[in-house]
Amino acid sequence: DSGVTQTPKHLITATGQRVTLRCSPRSGDLSVYWYQQSLDQGLQFLIQYYNGEERAKGNILERFSAQQFPDLHSELNLSSLELGDSALYFCASSVGLHGGELFFGEGSRLTVL
Amino acid sequence: DQQVKQNSPSLSVQEGRISILNCDYTNSMFDYFLWYKKYPAEGPTFLISISSIKDKNEDGRFTVFLNKSAKHLSLHIVPSQPGDSAVYFCAASVGNNNAGNMLTFGGGTRLMVKP
């Protein structure tokens, strides 16, 4: 158990819809990261928040947005969903802004039909 | 443009033998490298890392080698055990900068250790 909690574990929705994925980092971790893994692909970095502020951005689509709240939990919002958005979405956390090891949650599997 | 590549999607080895997983990178700014292991239905878990100032780091049965001139790293598992069967991801980052700690991952190698 990494200490990172993601909900929901599974989500099935239709094209055009909007969903919100939630992540609670490990106790004491200030950084939260979101990664997308599509069909046996590697993990693609989406975005990082540190203590409530956006600190790094990867290949995140404009239809996607995220935020980190004062209690440090984070939400990833995916809107106008397309079939290609079907993927595993991982949240990870770390203590600081930078420094190697990330602790990953079990992921949220999104299926867009 | 894949900056971190794992060219072998799968690898099968016999229990007790050595497993060698390879990873290549193109970004010369990367200075910190990690290996993660992932079991089905679980998130990736950290295995071992290496800084660019070193060429080898060992932790029990796991050793990571870094060849900066070739932009290549490898993970050696000796001896391999059936419980090592998992997908292994190589990752790299540009460390210690205020832009954050974005890890760039390779596509993964599925290791199968046969009893």
Side-chain angles (χ1 to χ4, degrees), chain A residues 17-19 21 63-64 76-81 89 110:
Chain A
Q17 294 298 304
R18 172 190 167 97
V19 298
L21 309 179
R63 300 183 286 109
F64 296 0
L76 178 67
N77 300 297
L78 315 174
S79 61
S80 303
L81 286 168
Y89 291 86
L110 172 66

Side-chain angles (χ1 to χ4, degrees), chain B residues 2 12 16 20 26 31 36-37 44 55 61 63-65 67 70 72-73 79 81-82 88 90 97 108 110:
Chain B
Q2 275 192 292
S12 181
I20 300 176
T26 57
D31 58 3
Y36 279 80
K37 179 168 72 172
D55 55 18
R61 296 186 297 112
T63 303
V64 56
F65 295 91
N67 182 334
H72 176 84
L73 66 155
Q81 299 173 354
Y88 289 78
C90 166
N97 66 76
R110 184 177 302 276

Side-chain angles (χ1 to χ4, degrees), chain B residues 11-111:
Chain B
L11 174 67
S12 181
V13 300
Q14 207 65 38
E15 181 179 5
R17 307 295 289 268
I18 184 171
S19 296
I20 300 176
L21 296 96
N22 294 303
C23 178
D24 297 295
Y25 62 96
T26 57
N27 188 344
S28 57
M29 296 296 290
F30 287 144
D31 58 3
Y32 192 69
F33 304 88
L34 308 90
W35 285 94
Y36 279 80
K37 179 168 72 172
K38 185 182 180 303
Y39 293 118
E42 293 184 12
T45 55
F46 171 75
L47 194 56
I48 192 169
S49 64
I50 188 167
S51 164
S52 61
I53 62 173
K54 295 185 173 182
D55 55 18
K56 176 182 174 181
N57 188 27
E58 195 172 347
D59 183 2
R61 296 186 297 112
F62 302 91
T63 303
V64 56
F65 295 91
L66 175 62
N67 182 334
K68 288 187 291 292
S69 61
K71 293 192 179 68
H72 176 84
L73 66 155
S74 60
L75 174 68
H76 293 208
I77 307 174
V78 184
S80 301
Q81 299 173 354
D84 296 329
S85 297
V87 177
Y88 289 78
F89 290 99
C90 166
S93 72
V94 178
N96 293 332
N97 66 76
N98 288 326
N101 184 29
M102 184 188 85
L103 288 184
T104 301
F105 282 84
T109 296
R110 184 177 302 276
L111 173 66

